[in-house]
Amino acid sequence: MTRAKRASERREDSLSRERIVDAAIELLDEAGEEGLTFRALAARLATGSGAIYWHITNKDELLAAASDVVVHRALAEVDDHASPRKAIHGIAMGVFEMVDAHPWVGAELDRHPQPIATLRILERIGRQVQALGAPRGAQFTAATVLGSHILSESRQNAANGRLYHPPPDRADFLETLAARWEELDPDEFPFTRSVADQLRHHDDHAEFLAGVDLILAGISVSSTGARDVPRKPKR
Amino acid sequence: MTRAKRASERREDSLSRERIVDAAIELLDEAGEEGLTFRALAARLATGSGAIYWHITNKDELLAAASDVVVHRALAEVDDHASPRKAIHGIAMGVFEMVDAHPWVGAELDRHPQPIATLRILERIGRQVQALGAPRGAQFTAATVLGSHILSESRQNAANGRLYHPPPDRADFLETLAARWEELDPDEFPFTRSVADQLRHHDDHAEFLAGVDLILAGISVSSTGARDVPRKPKR
DNA sequence: ACCTGAACACCGTTCAAGT
DNA sequence: ACCTGAACACCGTTCAAGT
């Protein structure tokens, strides 16, 4: 056993699922989703493209594994021990910054339904929803809504960041966006036009957390409303 | 002018952006995202693949145009004239069913940030948020949160529906999902495991609208809180 | 102006052949 | 058991040549 282990580690440059996934993450971070090809990956690992298939089923599995690693690492750094509201803010910001640093994760997380990485996020949010005292039947809804807000907003932010190369000045970007919205047809887009100007003073982080708090407010209303109902009805 | 118009309509099988987009929608509905290739599209339109490029810039633009048409049609059938809450439910269900019928739209809508189709949805929701009396500064947040919930949940539902071929019995699918969640590591996934059993009696539509109402509750709290603040402060 | 279809520069994946 | 790299069956996109 010790011998077997030593044997597999003897050449630390030998191929392994872990090394492949790490190299894939590097490639994704450097060159984006289109930068991850089996040929480029094989070149980086100094092997043939076919070798990768001995360790990994296909590209989908590779992307899922890469996402899982990145999400896992990001969540490991989030501190849960504050109040539920603060902990949820912490999780939200952790995910936000993780997707900002690895934009491809955002796309991957909802390409497929419920990959393990998404469950990890749901789990961490759900624990805080429980701590918040939400009734049992409402916890799933609450966690899901929080999760989809966090992921959507994170993805949106990351996508905006990578839209142009090189990334323009933040204020310029918002100005361009606001101007575009203001050019929309007044008959078709009255609401969108009416909020366009707010984009000019848009604070991503503040807006993001305001959304989280809006949902938290909804949760606390639902909780108080339903808390009177005993789990096992008396009659 | 009449002559020019007649000339362009003389052969109703001549290529046009509109015909290309319609054919693309057909192909996407029949064969999914991977079914849309320029070769297949050209075959269906009885032309060469290069001809399409005279009318459309590239595949991204084609997907965006196809999504816009489908979203536009779906929203046109939604009735806005009920109470704001009912109208928002109507928009939500309209989007939900549209994505269920055209699963590829769900993926497309958040592949790129703010394509026109997403703005259409935001617009319709935003009008109702205004009607709800949300304060000016909170409208954007409220509409965004509602929009991301609606799109996430719709996409999730559609993705689940297409996961297996042929689609299994609904109850079987939920049972499988619940069982998988219950097999997760108890130390890593206590919350997820604790709600797994609820999946067995999961009602998609009810859960979806419960999420919408949760957010609406949050909006009304924020609104009452802020409504006292006059738009133009007196001092 | 608009269409044709071969050609280009790629992909993911497979597989006989090696060690 | 694990790796190699050529080969297969595709893609999106371009472009000279046609009408």
Side-chain angles (χ1 to χ4, degrees):
Chain A
M1 193 170 162
T2 311
R3 186 164 310 178
K5 195 181 173 194
R6 209 185 291 141
S8 78
E9 287 175 0
R10 193 173 29 199
R11 305 199 61 216
E12 73 270 348
D13 60 337
S14 80
L15 225 45
S16 70
R17 193 186 149 90
E18 201 190 334
R19 279 194 66 228
I20 292 171
V21 171
D22 280 341
I25 292 172
E26 283 177 31
L27 219 39
L28 285 162
D29 286 345
E30 289 167 19
E33 260 186 277
E34 68 208 32
L36 178 64
T37 70
F38 278 78
R39 283 166 180 81
L41 195 53
R44 175 163 303 218
L45 292 164
T47 182
S49 60
I52 297 167
Y53 282 89
W54 204 93
H55 299 272
I56 255 132
T57 308
N58 55 31
K59 193 172 181 176
D60 271 7
E61 197 205 303
L62 181 56
L63 275 166
S67 301
D68 187 36
V69 168
V70 169
V71 169
H72 189 84
R73 283 178 193 157
L75 288 179
E77 286 180 14
V78 171
D79 181 16
D80 271 312
H81 294 85
S83 69
R85 179 171 171 273
K86 286 206 167 180
I88 289 173
H89 277 209
I91 297 164
M93 286 311 304
V95 172
F96 192 84
E97 276 155 17
M98 178 267 290
V99 175
D100 194 54
H102 312 280
W104 50 273
V105 178
E108 173 59 19
L109 283 194
D110 51 19
R111 178 156 18 258
H112 307 291
Q114 310 288 23
I116 182 79
T118 308
L119 284 188
R120 288 191 195 284
I121 297 170
L122 186 74
E123 169 69 30
R124 291 293 287 270
I125 296 169
R127 286 183 211 163
Q128 300 307 321
V129 167
Q130 281 181 327
L132 228 35
R136 221 175 167 316
Q139 290 169 6
F140 181 74
T141 309
T144 302
V145 171
L146 277 168
S148 69
H149 169 67
I150 290 171
L151 279 175
S152 293
E153 215 70 10
S154 299
R155 194 164 0 89
Q156 185 83 259
N157 172 69
N160 283 342
R162 322 283 141 167
L163 242 194
Y164 304 101
H165 304 272
D169 182 61
R170 178 91 201 130
D172 285 353
F173 171 71
L174 290 174
E175 174 56 38
T176 308
L177 197 60
R180 198 190 315 155
W181 285 20
E182 281 168 350
E183 276 165 20
L184 292 167
D185 182 337
D187 290 330
E188 272 192 297
F189 292 95
F191 170 75
T192 307
R193 285 168 52 98
S194 79
V195 294
D197 185 52
Q198 295 177 32
L199 288 177
R200 295 195 170 86
H201 321 97
H202 188 83
D203 177 338
D204 288 305
H205 283 202
E207 182 66 28
F208 176 53
L209 293 179
V212 171
D213 285 336
L214 175 67
I215 299 169
L216 289 177
I219 293 173
S220 74
V221 172
S222 315
S223 299
T224 18
R227 200 178 275 165
D228 303 336
V229 182
R231 210 153 292 165
K232 297 190 177 182
K234 280 175 188 167
R235 58 180 194 87
Chain B
M1 193 170 162
T2 311
R3 186 164 311 180
K5 195 182 173 193
R6 209 185 291 140
S8 77
E9 286 174 2
R10 193 172 31 196
R11 306 199 60 217
E12 73 270 347
D13 60 335
S14 79
L15 224 46
S16 70
R17 193 186 149 89
E18 201 190 335
R19 279 194 67 231
I20 292 172
V21 171
D22 280 340
I25 291 172
E26 283 177 31
L27 219 41
L28 285 161
D29 286 345
E30 289 167 21
E33 260 187 278
E34 68 207 33
L36 178 64
T37 69
F38 278 78
R39 283 165 180 82
L41 196 53
R44 176 164 301 218
L45 293 164
T47 183
S49 60
I52 297 166
Y53 282 90
W54 204 91
H55 300 273
I56 255 129
T57 308
N58 55 30
K59 193 171 182 177
D60 271 6
E61 196 204 305
L62 181 57
L63 275 166
S67 300
D68 187 37
V69 168
V70 169
V71 169
H72 189 83
R73 283 180 192 156
L75 288 179
E77 286 180 13
V78 172
D79 181 15
D80 270 312
H81 294 85
S83 69
R85 178 171 172 274
K86 288 205 166 184
I88 288 173
H89 279 207
I91 296 164
M93 286 311 304
V95 171
F96 192 85
E97 276 156 16
M98 179 267 290
V99 175
D100 195 54
H102 311 281
W104 50 274
V105 177
E108 172 59 19
L109 284 194
D110 51 20
R111 183 159 7 261
H112 307 291
Q114 310 287 25
I116 183 80
T118 307
L119 284 188
R120 288 191 194 284
I121 297 171
L122 186 75
E123 168 69 30
R124 292 292 287 270
I125 295 170
R127 288 182 211 163
Q128 300 306 321
V129 168
Q130 281 181 327
L132 228 35
R136 222 173 168 315
Q139 290 170 5
F140 181 75
T141 308
T144 302
V145 171
L146 278 168
S148 70
H149 169 67
I150 291 170
L151 279 176
S152 292
E153 215 70 10
S154 299
R155 193 166 359 90
Q156 185 84 257
N157 171 70
N160 284 341
R162 322 282 140 169
L163 239 193
Y164 304 102
H165 304 273
D169 182 61
R170 177 91 201 128
D172 286 351
F173 171 71
L174 290 175
E175 174 56 38
T176 307
L177 198 60
R180 197 189 316 156
W181 285 20
E182 282 167 349
E183 277 165 20
L184 291 168
D185 183 336
D187 290 330
E188 271 192 299
F189 292 96
F191 169 75
T192 308
R193 285 168 52 98
S194 79
V195 295
D197 185 53
Q198 294 177 32
L199 288 176
R200 295 196 169 86
H201 321 97
H202 189 84
D203 176 338
D204 288 306
H205 284 202
E207 182 66 28
F208 177 53
L209 293 180
V212 171
D213 285 336
L214 176 66
I215 299 168
L216 289 177
I219 293 173
S220 74
V221 171
S222 315
S223 298
T224 18
R227 199 177 272 162
D228 304 334
V229 183
R231 208 153 295 168
K232 296 193 177 180
K234 282 174 183 164
R235 58 180 194 87

